[in-house]
Amino acid sequence: MHKTTARSPVNSQPQQATVVSASGVAGDDREFLFTDQDFERIRKLIYERAGISLSPIKRDMVYSRVARRLRATGLRSFTAYLSLLEQGDPVEMEAFTNSLTTNLTSFFREEHHFPMLKEHLRPRMKKGAVTIWCSASSTGEEPYSIAMTVAELYGGIPNNVKILASDLDTNVLDKARQGVYPLDRVSKIPEDMLRKYFMRGSGAQDGFVRVRPELQAMLSFRQINLLDTSWPMRGPFDAIFCRNVMIYFDKPTQHGILEKFVPLLTEDGVLFAGHSESFHHAADLFKLRNKTVYELAEPAKKRAHRSEGR
């Protein structure tokens, strides 16, 4: 992961500034001046970089998160910081993007999906390699939940199932690779599974668990931006998890991402979506199979079959 080099401020004690509110009226005192123009520049930058559409109600959240980057870089105004980003500083652009991505996750979140994954994979158990892509893996709880589900289905750690775990945020990917979690994060995992798939810490690591290496070996981690014009893998995948991500994109962006999923799925592959996500606007690509589980629509299925290459 890149580290941001701090830039020396002109004055080590930034002055308090009056914030211009969303309505354009001067508001409460804050550390940095934050104008409507600043907010619009941030909205444009994060949309172009990550496809995230920030609504006006996110203004206070944006100030809070991006202000941390001003402190880290030693810059004293949003104007100066945004100019740095617009000049193309790649290290700071990564840190800026990480600051605005949301990483709410937990083990076996939306638990109804995991029995569905088992049933989807059961006919494939004797058919050779199985590949799964978790496209928003955050700090790792979701891809490790997928791995545990697969291991339970196979009765052990299979050597023919591979899981690609990706995210845009490099900070959370580092945590996912480490596979270390406080006990309260794994409290909902059944005790027998906890013993099978995690090691309890002791001494300085007391109160933590670590994913067992044999389970972790099923996963590979990679930074992938869903907004990139091309992705560094060819597939095909038997299942793609893209849960609670599309809600941050507008409909055209969603459709563009879904269109790129099509040639990466096997003809009978499935897409797992989040509980508040619906793809009715992409009926040419996907159709609902079960609760927030989609399969390829007929025209897209033909396209996926031709590009499958198996």
Side-chain angles (χ1 to χ4, degrees):
M1 174 185 166
H2 298 296
K3 290 187 178 179
T4 302
T5 303
R7 298 165 179 79
S8 300
V10 175
N11 187 329
S12 59
Q13 295 295 325
Q15 296 179 346
Q16 292 287 316
T18 301
V19 173
V20 179
S21 71
S23 61
V25 180
D28 51 356
D29 286 344
R30 283 181 176 171
E31 185 176 357
F32 304 104
L33 180 68
F34 188 47
T35 66
D36 288 342
Q37 184 180 9
D38 295 331
F39 182 58
E40 290 305 316
R41 288 170 74 185
I42 289 172
R43 291 179 71 181
K44 182 175 183 290
L45 282 166
I46 198 64
Y47 182 81
E48 291 174 349
R49 164 71 173 166
I52 296 173
S53 298
L54 291 173
S55 65
I57 63 171
K58 300 288 187 182
R59 184 187 177 99
D60 287 344
M61 179 274 286
V62 167
Y63 173 86
S64 175
R65 294 188 181 186
V66 181
R68 295 172 196 160
R69 297 309 314 154
L70 269 70
R71 298 183 196 105
T73 57
L75 294 171
R76 298 181 63 243
S77 73
F78 275 86
T79 299
Y81 178 72
L82 295 172
S83 294
L84 173 68
L85 295 178
E86 289 164 350
Q87 288 163 14
D89 184 316
V91 175
E92 190 52 40
M93 178 58 80
E94 183 175 289
F96 165 75
T97 304
N98 289 349
S99 74
L100 289 176
T101 50
T102 301
N103 298 296
L104 177 65
T105 186
S106 62
F107 285 99
F108 294 102
R109 186 183 184 193
E110 302 188 47
E111 59 186 0
H112 65 282
H113 278 163
F114 298 96
M116 293 180 191
L117 176 64
K118 275 187 178 180
E119 291 310 305
H120 177 63
L121 296 182
R122 196 178 301 278
R124 292 165 164 73
M125 291 178 68
K126 297 181 181 180
K127 291 185 178 179
V130 170
T131 53
I132 301 167
W133 178 21
C134 177
S135 65
S137 64
S138 188
T139 46
E141 287 90 333
E142 183 170 297
Y144 288 127
S145 297
I146 295 169
M148 285 186 279
T149 300
V150 170
E152 290 293 291
L153 172 63
Y154 280 73
I157 308 294
N159 57 17
N160 64 334
V161 179
K162 299 300 178 186
I163 300 165
L164 171 63
S166 70
D167 204 282
L168 173 63
D169 188 332
T170 53
N171 291 332
V172 297
L173 276 178
D174 286 342
K175 293 179 181 177
R177 286 189 188 97
Q178 293 167 15
V180 176
Y181 302 95
L183 283 172
D184 64 330
R185 296 295 292 169
V186 298
S187 60
K188 294 184 179 179
I189 299 176
E191 187 61 33
D192 62 326
M193 292 181 69
L194 200 56
R195 286 195 301 269
K196 276 193 283 188
Y197 303 121
F198 294 85
M199 301 177 293
R200 289 182 182 269
S202 60
Q205 293 300 312
D206 187 38
F208 292 85
V209 295
R210 180 188 291 275
V211 177
R212 289 190 180 274
E214 54 269 32
L215 185 77
Q216 199 166 35
M218 294 175 61
L219 281 66
S220 60
F221 294 94
R222 188 160 191 170
Q223 184 193 24
I224 295 175
N225 186 344
L226 294 177
L227 266 269
D228 285 347
T229 54
S230 62
W231 296 327
M233 67 284 189
R234 295 181 58 189
F237 294 98
D238 298 278
I240 294 176
F241 280 70
C242 187
R243 307 192 306 172
N244 306 301
V245 179
M246 295 294 198
I247 53 174
Y248 299 104
F249 303 143
D250 57 25
K251 296 298 184 186
T253 302
Q254 289 181 17
H255 195 279
I257 292 170
L258 291 169
E259 197 161 23
K260 288 192 290 183
F261 282 158
V262 170
L264 293 179
L265 276 168
T266 59
E267 187 180 358
D268 57 349
V270 291
L271 171 65
F272 291 87
H275 65 278
S276 60
E277 295 168 326
S278 173
F279 303 145
H280 297 305
H281 60 291
D284 57 321
L285 304 174
F286 287 92
K287 63 180 180 180
L288 192 65
R289 173 186 284 192
N290 210 319
K291 184 180 178 182
T292 57
V293 180
Y294 289 81
E295 62 184 15
L296 292 169
E298 288 305 318
K301 189 177 291 188
K302 292 175 184 176
R303 218 168 30 151
H305 180 67
R306 287 200 300 273
S307 59
E308 198 172 295
R310 275 189 175 177

